[in-house]
Structures are given as C-alpha cells and as structure tokens.
Amino acid sequence: MLDIAEIARATGLSSRALRFYEARGLIRPLRSEGGRRIFGAGELERLHAIVALKRAGFTLATIGRMLDRPSAALGPMIAAQAKVVQAERATLAETAALLRSIQSRIDAGERIDVATLCSLIRKGNAMTTTQWKSVVDRHFTEEEQAHWAERMDRLAPDFDQNAYQAQWADLGQRIAAALPMDPDSEAARGFVREWQALLAPFYAVASPEMRAGAVRLHQNRAEWDGQADPGFSSEVWQFIQAAGAAMKARSEAPGA
C-alpha cells in the first residue's frame, strides 16, 4: 500500500494530477483512518495504464470508458483517435512550415527578435481568432464574455484546447459523412452520445447561462455561418438536435 507521495514518485504524476484523476472517477484510492489517500497495486497498475493511454492522446473520458469496460471493442476508439492524431499532425505541420519560413529569414540575415517571432506566430491563427471574435462580439455582451472567460479558466490543468478542437472536427466530419441518417436510428443515438461525451469538459465548468448562450449561438447559426468554424456544419448541428429530441422522446435523454 502506497500513499499519494509514493504513488507520485512511482508514476511521475503530480499530487495535483492524482487528485484530479480521483475527482474524475478514474482512480478510487482508499482512505486511512487519518484521511490520507492509500493506493494498492490495482490502482498503481490503473495509473500506469492512464499514463500510457494519455501518451497516445486519448481523452480522460475515453480512458475511463476503456478501463471500466476492458472487453469493449477497441477498433472504433482507436480509429477515432487516429483521426484526431492526424488532425493534430496537420496543425503541427503548419507550425513547422511557419518556423522553417522564419528560420530561413534569419539565415538570410533578417533580424527577428522575440517580439517579432511572437507576432509572426500569432498571425498563423490571427484570421481564425478575428473571425470568432467578430461572431462572439455580436452575440454576447462584454459581461457575458467575461463570465465565459472566468469559467473556462476552471478547466483541468491538462486540458488541451487544440486537441479538443480537433476532436470536434473529427466528430463533425464523421457525422457529415454519415448523413442523411434517420435521427431515430441507433447510429444517430451513438453520435448523440459521442457529442454529449465531448461536451463533458465544457459542461463541467459552464453555468446554465453559458449552456443557454451556446445553444442560442448555434440556433442563430444562419447569421454567422461561414464566418467562423466550430468544427461541424450547420447541417450536423441540426441533425444532432433532431437526434437528441428523438432520444428524449424515447426517455433516453442525453443530458442536454
């Protein structure tokens, strides 16, 4: 039996990360009479598995499902993760191309300081950021935007925004490829469950006002469609709403 400090040394994880995994239900340490967390061999093995699966880029939600259902089919999960990794690779390739371009300018004798470097890097995402800001400014007040910023700061310390966006893009592409589809089909219900699982990090920090605002933004999608990309099309959004309504009618409400 090991305490949290010994587990941290054995796994390379911080005590903060261990507490976070416990809060997410990924590990379930025992408690000593004094209230200290005590880990057995099973929890240590589970933590090593979490570390390994995170190295492959799997989200904590997916890791939890994999560890709790070891007999579940891994093929679909691995295929989905491979697409996420490919999307991340494309992003890294763009970054690498940008850095090579900057390096060539330095090699040619151009003086580029840190401030200039940061400016050039930001320009890589400047158009996307500007587009989203334009959309957000039209649909949310300054007070609402400040509330969003404060709440989003509560995301887990290991939350990767780029990977999260890549997951939305992957799910959006898979749904779009499957359309048209009966919203009341089992395949549709599977997509709704994936959608809700992907919303979990947002739901963990979002206030009721934020949830309502996000829905309102997409309900008004016709006003900004094509100006910014959330990772899925208007058609995909409408399908998910219809499929979610069908699930609710079946008393299988996805927790929307």
Side-chain angles (χ1 to χ4, degrees):
M1 304 296 288
L2 303 173
D3 63 20
I4 192 169
E6 292 170 317
I7 283 289
R9 286 194 294 270
T11 61
L13 297 168
S14 67
S15 297
R16 183 184 181 191
L18 291 170
R19 294 188 183 95
F20 175 69
Y21 292 159
E22 181 184 2
R24 292 292 299 269
L26 289 170
I27 55 174
R28 304 170 185 86
L30 301 174
R31 295 280 181 163
S32 68
E33 292 183 1
R36 298 176 62 190
R37 293 172 176 81
I38 302 297
F39 298 79
E43 290 302 304
L44 178 58
E45 181 179 353
R46 191 175 174 93
L47 281 166
H48 282 309
I50 291 171
V51 171
L53 292 169
K54 272 183 61 62
R55 189 173 297 124
F58 287 101
T59 65
L60 293 182
T62 300
I63 290 173
R65 291 195 297 271
M66 295 170 77
L67 296 181
D68 289 339
R69 295 184 296 167
S71 60
L74 293 179
M77 296 183 187
I78 293 174
Q81 183 58 23
K83 291 182 179 179
V84 171
V85 171
Q86 289 171 355
E88 292 175 351
R89 179 187 296 174
T91 299
L92 288 173
E94 292 176 0
T95 301
L98 173 62
L99 293 175
R100 286 195 297 270
S101 174
I102 296 171
Q103 182 64 55
S104 67
R105 292 168 61 173
I106 294 174
D107 293 342
E110 184 175 347
R111 184 180 180 279
I112 294 180
D113 56 18
V114 173
T116 304
L117 173 62
C118 292
S119 176
L120 292 170
I121 293 173
R122 283 195 297 268
K123 286 181 180 178
N125 293 320
M127 182 172 293
T128 298
T129 301
T130 300
Q131 290 170 335
W132 267 116
K133 179 167 175 52
S134 176
V135 171
V136 168
D137 284 346
R138 290 200 307 273
H139 290 84
F140 296 96
T141 65
E142 291 185 6
E143 292 76 12
E144 287 174 325
Q145 293 183 45
H147 177 65
W148 274 70
E150 186 274 327
R151 284 284 184 149
M152 297 304 282
D153 281 343
R154 302 183 188 183
L155 287 167
D158 66 344
F159 182 78
D160 186 332
Q161 183 65 44
N162 290 331
Y164 189 57
Q165 291 173 340
Q167 288 177 286
W168 276 114
D170 169 65
L171 179 57
Q173 290 169 3
R174 287 190 287 115
I175 295 174
L179 295 179
M181 180 192 305
D182 179 3
D184 196 26
S185 65
E186 181 55 40
R189 290 190 284 276
F191 279 133
V192 173
R193 295 185 189 104
E194 279 195 69
W195 190 279
Q196 292 298 321
L198 200 48
L199 279 172
F202 172 70
Y203 279 179
V205 300
S207 65
E209 295 77 13
M210 288 173 64
R211 294 191 186 194
V215 171
R216 185 175 67 251
L217 180 67
H218 287 286
Q219 286 175 336
N220 296 328
R221 177 105 179 223
E223 299 177 7
W224 55 270
D225 214 9
Q227 300 174 34
D229 181 14
F232 49 87
S233 67
S234 178
E235 183 182 17
V236 167
W237 164 258
Q238 292 169 1
F239 166 77
I240 285 294
Q241 297 310 295
M247 285 184 71
K248 188 171 291 186
R250 283 173 164 262
S251 299
E252 299 177 24

